[in-house]
Amino acid sequence: VKVIAGAGSNNTAATVEASKKAKELGADAVLIVNPYYNKPSQAGMIAHVKAVAEVGIPIVLYNIPGRSAIALTATTIAEMAKLPQVVAIKEATGDLNLASEIRTLCPDLQILSGDDSLTLPLMSIGGKGVISVGSHVKPDALVSM
């Protein structure tokens, strides 16, 4: 079983510290949410992810503007994906056009659905799976998909 530890916050130093702790405890990767509340620029979000990348643990980006009030653009994601530590994105914008653009710009980046109901449509354009909420209730049904 792979463990992806939620280590993101709106504070870069706290995110770095949480990522160090996750690495120390043996997590396989960290999930880094867009810094919420303070709405950084795209360049600020790149700097945030670069700081976490220095920890040396694989990173799953978490693009969820409905909760963070800021969205990563496809070009920002492509810039982040140049970092070897950035291995995947949990894409929860609900925008299949954005997911398609990410797939085009980042052919090696794993795109994981962050919305259970969009898993199949996302997989039809190259997504690799889902980080699911519903799987906690019906794991067997989700795995059989």
Side-chain angles (χ1 to χ4, degrees), residues 39-62:
K39 298 181 185 176
S41 66
Q42 297 295 305
M45 288 191 286
I46 291 169
H48 180 79
V49 171
K50 283 182 175 179
V52 176
E54 291 179 16
V55 173
I57 187 169
I59 296 170
V60 178
L61 305 171
Y62 188 6

Side-chain angles (χ1 to χ4, degrees), residues 18-95:
S19 298
K20 285 179 181 176
K21 187 68 171 177
K23 181 179 179 183
E24 174 187 315
L25 292 172
D28 296 293
V30 290
L31 183 69
I32 303 299
V33 68
N34 301 347
Y36 46 86
Y37 184 68
N38 43 4
K39 298 181 185 176
S41 66
Q42 297 295 305
M45 288 191 286
I46 291 169
H48 180 79
V49 171
K50 283 182 175 179
V52 176
E54 291 179 16
V55 173
I57 187 169
I59 296 170
V60 178
L61 305 171
Y62 188 6
N63 197 19
I64 185 164
R67 300 268 189 241
S68 64
I70 188 79
L72 296 170
T73 66
T75 54
T76 296
I77 294 163
E79 188 63 29
M80 292 172 172
K82 292 177 184 175
L83 298 167
Q85 294 83 1
V86 175
V87 298
I89 183 167
K90 180 179 178 182
E91 179 44 42
T93 63
D95 183 350

